[in-house]
Amino acid sequence: QVQLVESGGGLVQPGGALALSCAASGSILTIGTMGWYRQAPGKQRELVATITSAGSTNYADSVKGRFTISRDNALNTVYLQMNSLKPEDTAVYSCNARIQTKRFNPFDNYWGKGTLVTVSS
């Protein structure tokens, strides 16, 4: 079994910063691309940022220049540093990872349960 567990959500004022982390554990052979997604109330889930195992990153236009995604392959952990937060960043943030559990098996998609980020004064 594979688990992704997020931490670091909470309440922050507009203009503030918050850091999220997501650790993968369990029967893991290889982790491919990892990423963060978010879903605001009444809206569809959207991509925030992704990072490949080699470190290449991709960001949604709405967070470019404010958010930074990184990962520690030795710890099977992905991070999201969020700066200059806006009320519209309020959402449940979930991490995602493409994980291979056995040799010759395909990579499967795994999701964390999510952590709530609220940006409000």
Side-chain angles (χ1 to χ4, degrees):
Q1 295 292 338
V2 173
Q3 280 189 319
L4 299 182
V5 179
E6 302 102 335
S7 61
L11 174 64
V12 63
Q13 291 187 341
L18 208 58
L20 305 181
S21 63
C22 172
S25 62
S27 181
I28 297 171
L29 180 62
T30 306
I31 301 180
T33 297
M34 304 182 82
W36 289 94
Y37 292 74
R38 67 186 182 186
Q39 186 167 20
K43 294 188 177 181
Q44 289 189 330
R45 184 167 59 192
E46 64 176 0
L47 178 147
V48 176
T50 61
I51 183 168
T52 69
S53 57
S56 295
T57 59
N58 178 55
Y59 295 92
D61 288 342
S62 59
V63 307
K64 280 181 182 176
R66 299 188 299 122
F67 291 12
T68 302
I69 189 170
S70 61
R71 65 190 281 172
D72 186 327
N73 291 330
L75 297 178
N76 291 339
T77 299
V78 62
Y79 306 95
L80 186 68
Q81 177 64 44
M82 304 183 291
N83 299 328
S84 302
L85 282 161
K86 305 175 182 180
E88 52 263 42
D89 293 318
T90 295
V92 174
Y93 286 70
S94 301
C95 71
N96 169 272
R98 299 281 293 170
I99 297 175
Q100 184 186 38
T101 57
K102 293 183 180 180
R103 194 178 180 188
F104 305 123
N105 277 17
F107 282 75
D108 288 326
N109 227 17
Y110 291 87
W111 290 91
K113 292 183 178 180
T115 185
L116 178 62
V117 172
T118 303
V119 185
S120 175
S121 55

